[in-house]
Amino acid sequence: MANPIIADWGADCEGCDEFIATGEKMFFTDDGKLCENCANEADYVCDCGRFKKSDFKQCYDCAQG
């Protein structure tokens, strides 16, 4: 599964409790389902916009060059 996904259903962000609407980015992380803002704040988003682990500087694809 790609991460982030474009939400096919609405869900509450487990970081800020804001609603993630259908069509918005949803990140699946060790901290649960996060909206794009919370994922950015928790350092789960690479500069390219894809998911990365918070302890790495880049996502896998960017690190491979």
Side-chain angles (χ1 to χ4, degrees), residues 36-64:
E36 189 170 14
N37 288 336
C38 287
N40 272 315
E41 289 177 11
D43 202 25
Y44 284 115
V45 183
C46 182
D47 290 338
C48 71
R50 287 180 272 198
F51 173 82
K52 70 175 192 67
K53 292 284 190 171
S54 58
D55 50 336
F56 291 96
K57 292 184 180 189
Q58 298 175 309
C59 68
Y60 178 81
D61 291 334
C62 288
Q64 296 304 310

Side-chain angles (χ1 to χ4, degrees), residues 9 13 15 18 21 23 28 31 45 57 61:
W9 68 94
C13 174
E18 291 291 320
F28 288 91
D31 298 327
V45 183
K57 292 184 180 189
D61 291 334

